Amino acid sequence: MNMKRIVVFALALVMLASSVVGATESVVQLGLPADPGDLGPFSGMSAGRGHLLKTMYETLVDRNDFGGEFVGVIMKDYVAISETEYEMTIYDYVYDQAGNHLTAADVAFCYNTAKSLGNLPKLNQITSIEATGDYTLKFVFTSIRLGDLATLWSEVPIVTQAAYEASPDSMAITPITTAPYKVTRYTSGSVLVYEKVDYWQHDASKVAVPSLANVDKIVYQMIPEPSMHTIALQTGQIDISTSVPATDLPGFRTGRYADGFMVTELGKNLTDMMQFNLYEGNPFTNEALRKAVAYAIDNNGFVAGALNGQGRATKIPGNPNFPDFNYEWDGKYYEFDLVKAKQLLAEAGYKPGELTIT
């Protein structure tokens, strides 16, 4: 069966993935831009690690789609006890790939271990986590803002304490998890292989999208040079990439290889922003001058020119990827207007050409 392969662009935008089906087992080959280094559940983030976590581990909750609502994965339900206290119930039939039964004590172990190791700084917002029963936990937070709860419950990979303590290297090379895929081979700097296993959640209606197992085997080829991702896609070495250079994308959209690939784009979490210097003596302490400059900047022009159209102009230091983003913020706000800019420049006491950027 011939299926389109996918180019995943991860500079100003990010792309999604697909699969290639073989004769006897379905296999997908992906290009990974960096070695993850350490596969352990509570290790610090690295360039390669971020691409692998959702395939390798499960969390209490996750999103069914990029930027969408969070849903329970290991978590079954929760209730608020107070503004800073929550009780959670997890499913009572969660098992890891070694057959260990996961309970609330394992979840508390994961969070407390991650907090003590200090590699996940967001957890500083949690005061305490304790198992209150075999399948219930109590979370106490210092404070909770909009979006914090789901973010914190999706921050820590969940494993059983028995599997973690049985690992000679804290799961750095061979993690044992609750996910539907198990690491069966890891050669640092070369390849990482996942194979499908019997998944604990047999009720298809309760399986979160990140926990779906659509292929039998996933193979990550580690390719640090972006230009080699283009070649690897063109030669069939890989089917999916997140690291194709922006200059090579036209060939996959409408060029020579367009018929064999699909390109999908999603915005990144990062926002580039210019701020005015308001220190005493700086020209930008003049409010009219600040407004003049704001009206004189063509944000959409920057996106088209500097980012080759692969981005979006925003009105705040944030974007729709954030759970508390309000789309009303996308209204008119210092839209490009040279007439207003010139009027405000005169109001600020400056003549055209008097100010220069150095």
Side-chain angles (χ1 to χ4, degrees):
M1 182 185 299
N2 292 320
M3 298 182 69
K4 283 191 175 183
R5 288 172 286 170
I6 290 186
V7 182
V8 185
F9 177 49
L11 291 179
L13 300 163
V14 181
M15 330 277 297
L16 295 179
S18 176
S19 64
V20 172
V21 180
T24 57
E25 73 171 349
S26 53
V27 181
V28 62
Q29 304 264 354
L30 301 94
L32 190 66
D35 192 304
D38 187 336
L39 305 181
F42 316 124
S43 303
M45 190 58 70
S46 66
R49 180 178 170 85
H51 292 76
L52 307 171
L53 282 178
K54 286 186 181 295
T55 305
M56 193 157 48
Y57 292 102
E58 291 189 306
T59 50
L60 294 171
V61 303
D62 210 331
R63 281 190 170 106
N64 270 344
D65 54 71
F66 193 83
E69 293 293 325
F70 280 90
V71 297
V73 180
I74 291 173
M75 181 193 81
K76 182 179 181 180
D77 202 358
Y78 75 94
V79 294
I81 302 172
S82 70
E83 290 185 356
T84 58
E85 297 175 294
Y86 289 80
E87 184 173 80
M88 174 187 290
T89 302
I90 65 171
Y91 288 108
D92 59 7
Y93 50 85
V94 183
Y95 288 84
D96 69 14
Q97 296 151 356
N100 297 303
H101 188 191
L102 186 136
T103 67
D106 293 306
V107 175
F109 166 79
C110 291
Y111 270 83
N112 288 320
T113 301
K115 275 176 63 68
S116 65
L117 291 174
N119 293 320
L120 302 175
K122 291 179 183 178
L123 300 184
N124 292 333
Q125 204 170 331
I126 299 177
T127 302
S128 65
I129 316 101
E130 62 174 328
T132 56
D134 288 343
Y135 307 106
T136 55
L137 300 110
K138 182 180 179 182
F139 285 79
V140 180
F141 303 93
T142 55
S143 63
I144 286 292
R145 298 184 299 267
L146 181 62
D148 284 350
L149 191 62
T151 298
L152 291 167
W153 283 346
S154 62
E155 181 74 359
V156 178
I158 302 300
V159 297
T160 63
Q161 183 174 354
Y164 185 78
E165 293 180 344
S167 173
D169 58 4
S170 301
M171 297 188 179
I173 297 176
T174 54
I176 300 297
T177 79
T178 66
Y181 287 102
K182 180 180 180 180
V183 174
T184 57
R185 179 187 171 194
Y186 175 38
T187 302
S188 182
S190 177
V191 66
L192 176 67
V193 180
Y194 295 100
E195 294 189 34
K196 188 176 180 180
V197 297
D198 182 29
Y199 183 48
W200 61 268
Q201 182 57 278
H202 294 151
D203 185 341
S205 67
K206 296 177 181 177
V207 178
V209 169
S211 295
L212 292 174
N214 297 319
V215 294
D216 296 319
K217 183 183 290 187
I218 302 172
V219 180
Y220 281 96
Q221 304 284 348
M222 296 172 201
I223 307 172
E225 175 55 46
S227 63
M228 295 303 296
H229 282 252
T230 301
I231 295 172
L233 285 165
Q234 293 169 347
T235 59
Q237 178 186 349
I238 60 175
D239 308 304
I240 304 169
S241 173
T242 61
S243 302
V244 173
T247 52
D248 291 343
L249 284 180
F252 294 104
R253 284 198 179 101
T254 58
R256 177 182 175 185
Y257 299 97
D259 289 341
F261 292 89
M262 180 175 67
V263 178
T264 305
E265 301 175 354
L266 293 171
K268 288 170 61 177
N269 286 336
L270 303 180
T271 302
D272 293 319
M273 180 176 66
M274 182 188 76
Q275 292 182 308
F276 294 111
N277 187 340
L278 299 181
Y279 281 103
E280 185 178 354
N282 191 281
F284 285 123
T285 55
N286 186 322
E287 181 180 347
L289 179 60
R290 296 198 301 272
K291 290 181 177 180
V293 172
Y295 278 117
I297 294 175
D298 183 359
N299 286 321
N300 290 316
F302 271 118
V303 171
L307 300 177
N308 297 316
Q310 293 150 351
R312 69 188 294 273
T314 184
K315 308 299 191 300
I316 64 167
N319 56 67
N321 293 328
F322 294 91
D324 55 349
F325 183 83
N326 186 341
Y327 282 91
E328 292 181 1
W329 296 334
D330 261 348
K332 291 186 177 298
Y333 184 76
Y334 289 101
E335 301 295 323
F336 180 54
D337 191 329
L338 286 180
V339 173
K340 285 187 178 180
K342 290 178 181 179
Q343 292 173 346
L344 286 161
L345 185 67
E347 181 182 326
Y350 292 93
K351 299 177 181 179
E354 189 174 347
L355 288 175
T356 58
I357 298 176
T358 58

